[in-house]
Amino acid sequence: MPIFRSAFVASCWVFASVANATMHECAKDIAIRITGIYENGDTDVHYSYCENLDDGRGYTAGIAGFCTGTGDAWMVIQEYKKLTGSYGDFASMASKLRKYADDENDSTRGIKNYCNVWKSLGKSDKNFQKAQDSIRDQLYYYPAEKAANKLGLKLDVSQGQIFDTSIQHGAGDDADGLLSLIKDTNKSFRSDQPGNSGSILNINGHQVDEIVWLKKFIEVRTNDLKHPKEEENQGGDYWAQTTYRTKSYSYMVNQGDMLLSIIISKLILVSYLAFMPTASAAMCSCAKDIAIRITGIYENGDTDVHYDYCENLDDGRGFTAGIAGFCSGTGDGWDVIQEYKKLTGSYGDFEAMAADLEKYASSESDSTSGIENYCKVWESLGKSDKNFQKAQDNIRDQLYYDPAEKAAAELGLKFDVSQGQIFDTGIEHGTGDDGDGMLTLIKNTNSAFTSDQTGDSGSTLTINGHQVDEIVWLKKFIEIRTSDLKSPKEKDNQGGNYWAQTTYRTKSYSNIIDQGEYMWTSTVKLLDNDGIYENGDTESHYAYCENLNDGRGFTAGIAGFCTGTGDAWMVIQEYKNLTGSYGSFESMATDLEKYANSGSASSSGIKNYCQMWGSLGNTDKNFQQAQDNIRDQLYYDPAQAASNKLGLKFDVSQGQIFDTGIEHGTGDDADGMLALINNTNSAFTSDQTGNSGSTLNINGHQVDEIVWLKKFIEIRTSDLMSPKEKDNQGGNYWAQTTYRTKSYSNIIDQGEYMWTSAVTLLDNDSKPTTISCSSYGKINPSTKTRRRRRDVNGRPIRIRGTRMLVPSLDPPKRRIMRPIRSGPSEEL
């Protein structure tokens, strides 16, 4: 299985088979935790939960709501006795508990201490926890599994829904029971029903796609929740209030999470939506901060709040400064300074230039005459003066956030992702109703809806008298804003193709929507503008070339091919193989071959090398293909061979091996990839189980793949900290690149073992960054500088690999990346 080219596989990896597939332990655990969200409001396993709900069932307790008045709680206590030999602290009330269970009596007389005992044992007694697991499985999981197997269900999402149904409805064949719902679902199919899930069920002799069947089951169950048949389930409208259980699974199906490759926060969101108030809700302070920081990525290249930023972008707006790009020539820079005076009583160090600043703001002049010291003052105050920072916050809110919030409230937007997009639009387009303004884009979006538009978000807007799902509306808004960025209507915004270069702002929000991260209670993952190990970003730098003065001649291309180590010459030879000539390198081919063979860093006779490389790298597909081929030959293919020999199945494992080959070389010297693999294998002297679903044969022992990978990362990290080869020991350079292993550890912790379209990892600054197979989040190459790692003395850092001498790079210092943007509307 090649790296990065797998079919759809879940984070809890499942081997597809023709036979019925019982959920593996990881998927089972997820299914249990999903039900835990519905039952308890979170994904924790509540062994110690206990209370009297006054619902006629006595005390309700534990991971599946075991009740003293229904008998299942007594079953747990009996199981506990089997495991320990006694009832423990339940001994004094055992006879009462048995009687209430037998009589189905909800009395709590004589068992007042019941919850105290249950909570105490549930918190710390492993046997009591195991007893709960056993009874839950006996009463709910195994019957659900049996029903799923009888149907032939293979997908975790189907089996998870069956399990959740058994918990809520019971696993029996009463009118509202699991078996009855399955029977009612099956009755619906009187002909073959094809689909795209890849799993086919035999229902009443008809071939029915599993997801088609599941959607029908969810529909049947939802209807039963709204109109339960059993009298005891009809009181108080309680069941009708729990349709979020089916809505949540529908959401998973729509997201393609067939094998429960699921971020649990998605489900918390969906179940939460059922209780969302009908009125629009302003973003909480945390969500507001996230929205501001997301816009900060677009404006400044990172999530920091740049109170001290200031420069002249030569864009006709004077000095641009601070957290929202306040400009001396548009008036908002002056607004900040006036706000600062309100807070402090004076203009401070701006006093000497106040008259000129007021004049330029009033006349919208970009002149810097008389305010040459402006940036120096702004930077100084921005770094340390809390009042100046507060002044910026206040004006940003007054000009952008508050108008955006008002517009969102008028629309009835409830989701943070919607309000965040409106805020970001206000920052870039201005909040007015000019041709490209925020209000105009909202108006144009609303005009697109001439009928009801349903969706699954759980939030509905009234647009022109029509009922429109909020996420459906937001997607249309993003489409219209993207079109406006590509073709702005206002003449001021049309020059230089600047706006068209910022569509990553809308693509990034589209990604947040695709992830289902509608509400931002603590964090949100998005497509960053910033980068990864070798180049400081996620782009393929075919055109990169420079002389790092590191004894390896010119370094160039996607893997740092060097004229003095031989791999650059291999690329050029491969290019000749593809095209029949050396092309622009023809005149220097002799020198290049000589330097490659002798390991010389000389640039004599090849002064135009980088110019040639950059030109071909930008546009020549054959030259790009040549780089791909040599990278694969030197690094990818040897890494793939090693991965195949080990039996690695996960992309995260194979990706780590490939990255090791790039940095350490793919050989068997002391620091080489093969040596690290050997050292890892030597650490396993017995079987090592795990939950990944993939098992390796290491020295005759069965070792879980993720267990093996964690050990490999540990050994590689140790080698980076203390390399064995003398060539790799100088300057502490290797020790500075442990972010490469730390980032992979983070991917493992996220459960992102298979990379079907995108993966989120920690970048070189330990910030979450999503890499996808698309071009999301890229900044126009013409505005982006190549960033190379430097040591404390400003020297470029190089790491020597074994097979070829290839560079490895550390995170460059952050720099402010400011796309040119529109200022506030004239109204403001």
Side-chain angles (χ1 to χ4, degrees), residues 718-733:
S718 177
D719 189 74
L720 289 172
M721 298 294 290
S722 304
K724 301 173 184 66
E725 294 287 325
K726 188 174 180 180
D727 286 346
N728 301 327
Q729 293 171 358
N732 198 37
Y733 297 144

Side-chain angles (χ1 to χ4, degrees), residues 292 295-296 299-300 304-309 313 317 319-327 330 332-333 336 378 389 391-401 423 426-428 505 818-819 821-824:
I292 289 168
T295 291
E299 291 284 313
N300 305 311
D304 295 335
V305 182
H306 289 274
Y307 293 106
D308 60 341
Y309 164 71
L313 294 171
R317 298 177 184 178
F319 291 111
T320 298
I323 61 175
F326 305 113
C327 298
T330 61
D332 50 356
V336 171
W378 190 290
Q389 294 173 1
Q392 292 186 53
D393 289 338
N394 291 350
I395 299 303
R396 176 206 58 216
D397 287 356
Q398 179 185 326
L399 295 183
Y400 305 111
Y401 182 81
F423 168 69
I427 286 283
E428 184 174 27
R505 298 175 86 123
R818 297 192 60 80
R821 51 169 285 275
S822 70

Side-chain angles (χ1 to χ4, degrees), residues 48-51 114-124:
S48 61
Y49 162 72
C50 185
E51 67 176 311
Y114 179 87
C115 276
N116 289 335
V117 174
W118 189 288
K119 290 176 181 177
S120 176
L121 292 176
K123 283 179 181 175
S124 57

Side-chain angles (χ1 to χ4, degrees), residues 13-220:
W13 205 76
V14 178
F15 295 96
S17 67
V18 181
N20 299 346
T22 298
M23 281 197 288
H24 51 92
E25 285 302 310
C26 178
K28 175 183 174 182
D29 181 67
I30 290 178
I32 289 167
R33 289 175 185 271
I34 290 171
T35 291
I37 293 173
Y38 311 145
E39 294 283 321
N40 306 309
D42 59 44
T43 62
D44 294 334
V45 182
H46 289 272
Y47 294 105
S48 61
Y49 162 72
C50 185
E51 67 176 311
N52 188 341
L53 295 172
D54 296 318
D55 61 354
R57 298 178 183 182
Y59 290 111
T60 299
I63 60 174
F66 305 113
C67 299
T68 55
T70 61
D72 49 357
W74 175 240
M75 291 175 70
V76 171
I77 295 166
Q78 285 181 300
E79 182 69 16
Y80 179 60
K81 183 181 179 183
K82 286 183 186 177
L83 295 171
T84 64
S86 78
Y87 290 123
D89 292 338
F90 286 114
S92 63
M93 59 186 94
S95 60
K96 291 282 189 185
L97 289 169
R98 181 190 295 112
K99 184 176 187 305
Y100 296 152
D102 292 339
D103 298 339
E104 293 189 352
N105 188 335
D106 68 338
S107 174
T108 59
R109 189 171 183 176
I111 57 169
K112 297 296 185 184
N113 209 31
Y114 179 87
C115 276
N116 289 335
V117 174
W118 189 288
K119 290 176 181 177
S120 176
L121 292 176
K123 283 179 181 175
S124 57
D125 192 313
K126 297 299 181 184
N127 284 312
F128 190 60
Q129 294 173 0
K130 187 175 180 180
Q132 292 188 51
D133 289 339
S134 297
I135 300 304
R136 176 206 59 214
D137 287 356
Q138 178 184 329
L139 295 180
Y140 306 110
Y141 183 79
Y142 294 143
E145 185 179 71
K146 180 180 178 181
N149 285 340
K150 186 175 180 180
L151 284 162
L153 302 179
K154 299 180 181 70
L155 302 176
D156 295 338
V157 70
S158 309
Q159 299 175 64
Q161 171 63 190
I162 296 299
F163 168 71
D164 184 66
T165 304
S166 75
I167 287 282
Q168 184 177 28
H169 296 246
D173 60 0
D174 64 287
D176 297 317
L178 169 68
L179 296 181
S180 292
L181 297 183
I182 290 174
K183 186 177 179 181
D184 292 343
T185 303
N186 290 347
K187 288 179 181 177
S188 303
F189 295 103
R190 299 177 182 177
S191 62
D192 292 350
Q193 294 290 323
N196 299 316
S197 76
S199 174
I200 303 295
L201 312 181
N202 188 322
I203 306 296
N204 306 323
H206 304 297
Q207 303 296 293
V208 179
D209 179 85
E210 184 171 335
I211 292 303
V212 172
W213 184 92
L214 178 59
K215 288 181 176 179
K216 175 56 69 173
F217 177 85
I218 288 173
E219 177 188 321
V220 168

Side-chain angles (χ1 to χ4, degrees), residues 428-446:
E428 184 174 27
H429 297 245
T431 57
D433 58 3
D434 64 293
D436 300 312
M438 178 190 76
L439 295 180
T440 299
L441 298 183
I442 290 173
K443 184 179 179 181
N444 292 343
T445 303
N446 290 348

